[in-house]
């Protein structure tokens, strides 16, 4: 019998989920804090962690990173509210199997749990696999899943991809989380002269700082404690192909120096080694940060930025390409039908109205997940409004349950009206940002790290709240 660790500080909610999962044949143990969950692992083995994002002594993200470092065989599902969806997408990149949103639909929860427990660990991101080479065969889905789109913005992006792909220029792909920066990078590789070589994707945000240099450039036996054998780095593995460095702004200053040297000299040196290794690698980097601002603050080398930025592409947020919604939705519907063994043919007119009116803060990743969930819940030939999360068309629904559905597992509630709740949240957020800014003496980079948000978001909120 599969063992599940449920980490949730709302005891009533935790009890409901625990009972539901136990009735479906799982053994469930509960915890309310990150440290408590970590202690339970010292005495028991678990196949799956289901963790709320917001916990009394930390976050589900912290628990995810800890489990992937210490127990890579254990799957992790993150529970979020829709306000946390950008964070949830980042958690996916760090190795979470999936995220589900409150109020939870029981069918969706059960399906996701079963899917996570049946998935092969080698298919998931972990400290070993999150940064492992992504070869052409392993990433064949990216090529077949790419949607060009029909909007003017999409056509311009595709034109630029086709223009830069045959060259050997380094490319910097800019864009918000979830806009498909890796898909764009893979498409550049597929239309380049290196298409038969390896395409290796590295999430720099998931690289442990102390091991980033070793992961990228390799090390020799005995170079540091734990270096028990020689290691081939990702740059050497990508020789003759393309290396994709996602979230490039997360690399430490020391690693940036090594990367700059690799670009300039076309050689690398393993950690602890004294031999120069020739490499022939095209570099595509991606970020949702403003690297120029980071360079101004001394957190990103300006000379490295210019080396990487020989050609710039901007991934388009979904809210700015609503004309392409039909193309993406059709692709994701086809994928979901195949994955879930369904035969849903399309979306009702009411669903299309909701899709077109929604802002899509999580971009393509959010659209894909919502369509997959909707296909799972659809019994007829078309997706109807009832199969969508209520948050898409009733922003206050997450505060009052599941729109009257007696079978929904609801999250934490509040007696405040939606208007009062929002006002209170805004004031609390403003006070928190102001306090951290004062504590860090207005060091914006440090403030962003403490608040677990990217610098672009922090600048936006500072401007919004008049904290400049």
């Amino acid at each position: 019998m599969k063992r599940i660790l449920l980490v949730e500080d709302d005891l009533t909610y935790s009890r409901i989920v625990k009972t539901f999962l136990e009735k479906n044949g799982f053994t469930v143990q509960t915890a309310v804090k990150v440290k408590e969950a970590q202690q339970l692992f010292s005495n028991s083995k678990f196949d799956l962690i289901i963790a709320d994002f917001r916990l009394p002594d930390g976050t589900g993200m912290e628990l995810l990173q800890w489990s992937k470092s210490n127990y890579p065989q254990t799957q992790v599902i993150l529970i979020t509210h829709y306000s946390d969806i950008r964070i949830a997408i980042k958690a996916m990149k760090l190795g979470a199997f999936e995220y589900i949103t409150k109020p939870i639909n029981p069918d969706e929860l059960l399906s996701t749990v079963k899917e996570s427990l049946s998935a092969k660990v080698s298919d998931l991101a972990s400290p070993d696999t999150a940064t492992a080479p992504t070869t052409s065969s392993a990433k064949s889905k990216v090529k077949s899943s790419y949607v060009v789109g029909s909007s003017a913005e999409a056509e311009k992006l595709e034109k630029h991809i086709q223009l830069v792909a045959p060259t050997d220029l380094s490319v910097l792909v800019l864009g918000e989380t979830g806009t498909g920066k890796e898909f764009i990078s893979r498409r550049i590789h597929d239309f380049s002269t290196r298409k038969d070589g390896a395409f290796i994707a590295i999430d720099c945000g998931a690289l442990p700082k102390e091991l980033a240099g070793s992961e990228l450039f390799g090390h020799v036996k005995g170079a540091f404690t734990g270096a028990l054998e020689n290691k081939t780095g990702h740059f050497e593995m990508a020789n003759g192909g393309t290396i994709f460095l996602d979230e490039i702004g997360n690399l430490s200053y020391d690693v940036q120096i090594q990367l700059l040297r690799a670009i300039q000299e076309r050689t690398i040196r393993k950690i602890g080694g004294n031999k120069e290794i020739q490499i022939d690698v095209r570099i595509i980097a991606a970020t949702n940060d403003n690297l120029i601002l980071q360079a101004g603050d001394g957190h990103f080398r300006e000379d490295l930025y210019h080396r990487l930025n020989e050609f710039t592409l901007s991934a388009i947020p979904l809210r700015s390409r609503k004309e392409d919604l039909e193309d993406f939705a059709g692709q994701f519907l086809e994928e979901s039908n195949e994955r879930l063994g369904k035969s849903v043919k399309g979306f009702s007119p009411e669903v299309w109205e909701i899709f077109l009116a929604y802002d899509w803060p999580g971009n393509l990743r959010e659209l894909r997940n919502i369509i997959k969930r909707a296909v799972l819940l659809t019994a007829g030939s078309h997706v109807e409004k009832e199969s969508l999360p209520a948050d898409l068309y009733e922003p206050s629904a997450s505060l009052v349950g599941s729109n009257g559905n007696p079978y929904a597992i609801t999250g934490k509630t509040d007696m405040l009206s939606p208007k009062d709740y929002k006002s209170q949240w805004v004031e609390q957020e403003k006070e928190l940002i102001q306090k951290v800014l004062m504590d860090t003496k207005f060091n914006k980079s440090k403030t962003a790290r403490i608040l677990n948000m990217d610098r672009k978001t922090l600048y936006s909120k500072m401007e919004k709240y008049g904290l400049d």
Side-chain angles (χ1 to χ4, degrees), residues 395-410:
S396 62
S398 61
L399 303 179
V400 296
S402 184
N403 200 23
N405 181 357
Y407 299 103
I409 302 174
T410 57

Side-chain angles (χ1 to χ4, degrees), residues 20-292:
F20 172 74
L21 291 173
E22 288 178 338
K23 285 183 178 179
N24 282 277
F26 301 103
T27 298
V28 182
Q29 194 162 349
T30 60
V32 297
K33 297 181 178 180
V34 172
K35 288 184 178 178
E36 183 183 352
Q38 292 170 345
Q39 290 170 356
L40 286 172
F41 264 90
S42 63
N43 300 317
S44 304
K45 178 183 177 183
F46 295 96
D47 302 289
L48 171 67
I49 299 173
I50 302 176
D52 193 8
F53 175 72
R54 301 180 187 278
L55 296 167
D57 62 338
T59 66
M61 188 88 77
E62 295 171 9
L63 183 59
L64 164 68
Q65 292 175 301
W66 176 85
S67 69
K68 287 301 174 186
S69 296
N70 296 279
Y71 302 92
Q73 300 297 313
T74 302
Q75 315 279 35
V76 181
I77 295 173
L78 196 68
I79 301 174
T80 74
H81 289 283
Y82 259 81
S83 58
D84 300 322
I85 199 160
R86 294 175 194 259
I87 300 171
I89 293 169
K90 184 175 181 180
M92 295 287 292
K93 298 178 70 175
L94 293 177
F97 177 80
E98 188 60 274
Y99 70 85
I100 50 180
T101 54
K102 291 181 178 179
I104 295 174
N105 181 286
D107 292 336
E108 180 187 8
L109 173 63
L110 185 59
S111 173
T112 304
V113 167
K114 289 180 177 179
E115 194 173 347
S116 70
L117 292 172
S118 63
K120 294 180 180 178
V121 175
S122 59
D123 293 336
L124 304 173
S126 69
D128 297 320
T129 60
T131 57
T134 308
T135 62
S136 298
S137 58
K139 293 298 289 180
S140 59
K141 285 185 177 180
V142 175
K143 182 177 180 180
S144 62
S145 298
Y146 188 86
V147 176
V148 173
S150 53
S151 65
E153 293 85 354
E155 291 177 357
K156 180 179 178 181
L157 174 61
E158 177 65 12
K159 181 179 178 180
H160 286 176
I161 289 173
Q162 298 293 338
L163 180 67
V164 75
T167 74
D168 232 12
L169 294 175
S170 296
V171 180
L172 185 63
V173 185
L174 306 176
E176 299 173 10
T177 298
T179 48
K181 296 187 288 293
E182 183 175 344
F183 281 68
I184 291 171
S185 302
R186 175 58 200 244
R187 190 162 180 84
I188 293 171
H189 173 78
D190 286 338
F191 284 92
S192 74
T193 57
R194 299 173 176 267
K195 62 183 178 182
D196 295 326
F199 177 84
I200 297 182
I202 314 297
D203 182 358
C204 298
L207 289 173
K209 289 186 178 180
E210 64 277 8
L211 295 177
S214 170
E215 291 292 332
L216 292 174
F217 307 112
H219 66 248
V220 298
K221 182 179 179 180
F224 51 85
T225 302
L228 303 179
E229 58 185 19
N230 293 335
K231 177 181 176 65
T232 301
H234 296 312
F235 267 84
E236 194 174 353
M237 291 179 179
N239 201 29
T242 303
I243 192 165
F244 170 62
L245 301 174
D246 197 11
E247 301 302 342
I248 187 77
N250 286 296
L251 291 179
S252 69
Y253 204 78
D254 289 342
V255 175
Q256 291 176 35
I257 295 173
Q258 292 175 282
L259 178 58
L260 179 62
R261 184 174 182 277
I263 297 173
Q264 290 176 331
E265 307 295 333
R266 295 294 169 179
T267 62
I268 60 169
R269 181 183 296 177
K270 293 186 176 184
I271 306 298
N274 52 22
K275 179 183 177 182
E276 299 291 338
I277 301 173
Q278 294 289 328
I279 56 166
D280 174 24
V281 176
R282 182 184 196 172
I283 297 175
I284 302 177
T287 183
N288 60 5
D289 294 326
N290 189 322
L291 295 183
I292 288 295

